């Protein structure tokens, strides 16, 4: 059979960019399909250099328009006037969820996907994470362990550039780091107080894909902390700054924008995907493309939805779904503000620039489950950091006249905030399905049913109590705290729905992210995850993608595919 391409990659975000890079560098002709618009590096970062006074709404945005057009995306960390065009228009791209606990689905349909707007935190998972399902019976056992992924973590970190400090923690393995960004004095004080009074707890600088040392034509970070606008310096990892240029340099890549994949067509005789069926949204034209390999990297929800739409006589409930678990065991970290405290005694200190990362307190609960009786399994970690309040504090501060204004010209008090991310336990009821409602292209909308369980709530309650204790070590006066989870989706760490596993009867993918049922299909984004750990997952997506490509190409060249 004559194929249009050797491989087709669906989605150009963090995972898709890596799949395109690795496949093209191994000599394959690759079609990279992106459902959204083209955003060219440097050229199309339209608001990168603008000041508040250059913006119609001073950077805050037209709230009436946001409520109408971006009611979900504008609630996110980067959903402001500068960066909102890097997110989807919710009104034009509807989805369904439950009314009582609506899932906040953050999306970016464009070249680079959410790699333009991600939080850039890069943490390895450990065997504590890969063995958790086996140890406590939730979910299915991972078919891999840390040793399987470690060399691929090395591979990814060395290429993208991750700044961080080595700490020697079993639960948070060290990596190939550039020099760490500095802790502020107040953060260093908390680190030392923890070492003295709670030595099992380690505060370290956030490990981030912001360069502290230049890599090739990518400059080191300028400490602007406006990353979601796009970075012409290439100082943080995005598809545009890193993997896409590498793929283009091979001469083996074709990037196609405004190409929405409607279904994957299955050949009943050859038991392979025979074509990728695309809607060219600007022309409203449908077209088929063929390839020996298909890498599905559209993001957890969209990848699962595409498989569910791709029905056939063999797979009436979705492609590669002989197990019946496709769409189930969907996860997102339970997150909330564990504690924020005003900390006196550091008023003669400030900070230089806007550091694009915070601190992390590594997981310390249930490292040895047999030794702890906490009322919950798994664990949580904190992210956050210290900052000085600005003039905005005046909205909540008593005062009047000249003295009031002069006071607001000064730096405000120091605040130390700790946000908690608790592990999401795999639950069958948390799932992605297809709605009866259709979108503008006649495609079934996604329905997301998700809620946090008792285990997550118990973990957050413990995290809030412990955060207060830790901040008290440096004299912090707690001014805000919560033990209740935010809505699902707000962590923007959605995972699962097409999980990896050893048994084809209980999982969708094998240990190489290859579909048990469809040998030329690989799913390497968050949909593949069998558990959620408590740390950010994107580094693991990238490592698993590179690993899967190496396996797939080896199989292709040997004639097994």
């Amino acid at each position: 059979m004559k194929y249009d391409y050797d491989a087709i990659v669906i989605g150009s975000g963090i995972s898709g960019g890596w799949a395109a890079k690795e496949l093209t560098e191994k000599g394959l002709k690759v079609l990279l399909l992106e459902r959204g618009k083209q955003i060219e590096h440097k050229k199309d970062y339209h608001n990168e250099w603008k000041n508040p006074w250059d913006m119609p709404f001073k950077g805050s945005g037209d709230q009436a328009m946001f409520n109408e057009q971006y009611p979900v995306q504008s609630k996110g960390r980067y959903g402001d006037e500068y960066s909102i065009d890097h997110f989807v228009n919710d009104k034009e791209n509807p989805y369904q969820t439950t009314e009582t606990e609506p899932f906040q689905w953050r999306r970016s349909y464009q070249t680079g996907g959410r790699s333009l707007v991600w939080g850039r935190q890069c943490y390895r998972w450990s065997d504590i994470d890969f063995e958790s399902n086996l140890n406590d019976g939730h979910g299915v056992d991972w078919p891999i362990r840390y040793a399987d992924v470690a060399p691929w973590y090395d591979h990814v970190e060395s290429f993208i550039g991750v700044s961080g400090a080595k700490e020697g923690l079993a639960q948070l393995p060290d990596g190939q780091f550039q020099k760490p960004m500095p802790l502020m004095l107040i953060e260093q004080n908390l680190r030392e107080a923890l070492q003295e009074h709670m030595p099992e707890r380690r505060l370290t600088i956030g490990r981030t894909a912001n360069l502290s040392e230049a890599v090739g034509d990518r400059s080191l970070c300028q400490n602007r902390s406006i990353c979601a606008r796009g970075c012409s310096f290439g100082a943080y990892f995005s598809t545009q700054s890193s993997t896409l240029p590498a793929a283009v340099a091979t001469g083996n890549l074709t990037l196609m924008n405004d190409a929405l994949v409607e279904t994957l067509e299955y050949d009943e005789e050859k038991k392979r995907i025979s074509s990728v069926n695309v809607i060219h949204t600007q022309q409203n034209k449908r077209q088929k493309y063929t390839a020996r390999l298909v890498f599905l990297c559209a993001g957890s929800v969209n990848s699962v939805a595409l498989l569910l739409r791709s029905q056939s006589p063999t797979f009436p409930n979705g492609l590669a779904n002989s197990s019946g678990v496709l769409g189930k065991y969907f996860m997102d970290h339970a997150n909330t503000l564990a504690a924020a405290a005003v900390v006196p005694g550091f008023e003669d200190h400030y900070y230089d620039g806007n550091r694009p990362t915070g601190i992390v307190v590594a997981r310390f609960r249930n490292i040895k489950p047999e030794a702890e009786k906490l009322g919950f399994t798994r664990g949580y970690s904190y992210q956050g950091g210290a900052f000085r309040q600005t003039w905005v504090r005046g909205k909540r501060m008593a005062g009047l006249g000249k003295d009031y204004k002069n006071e607001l010209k000064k730096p405000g008090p120091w605040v130390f905030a700790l946000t908690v991310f608790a592990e999401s336990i795999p639950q069958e009821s948390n799932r992605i399905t297809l709605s009866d409602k259709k979108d503008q292209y006649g495609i079934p909308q996604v329905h997301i049913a998700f809620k946090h369980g008792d285990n997550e709530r118990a973990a957050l309650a413990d995290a809030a109590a412990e955060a207060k204790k830790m901040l008290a070590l440096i004299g912090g006066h707690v001014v805000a705290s919560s033990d209740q989870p935010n809505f699902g989706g707000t962590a923007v760490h959605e995972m699962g729905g097409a999980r990896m596993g050893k048994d084809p009867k209980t999982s969708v993918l094998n240990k190489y992210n290859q579909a048990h049922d469809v040998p030329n299909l690989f799913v390497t984004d968050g949909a593949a995850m069998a558990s959620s750990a408590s740390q950010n997952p994107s580094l693991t997506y990238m490592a698993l993608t590179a690993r899967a490509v190496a396996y797939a190409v080896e199989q292709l060249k040997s004639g097994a595919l």
Side-chain angles (χ1 to χ4, degrees), residues 514-536:
Q514 180 184 34
H516 291 299
D517 300 333
V518 186
N520 68 336
L521 171 63
F522 292 79
V523 183
T524 67
D525 57 21
M529 307 300 273
S531 66
S532 74
S534 62
Q535 58 267 55
N536 305 56

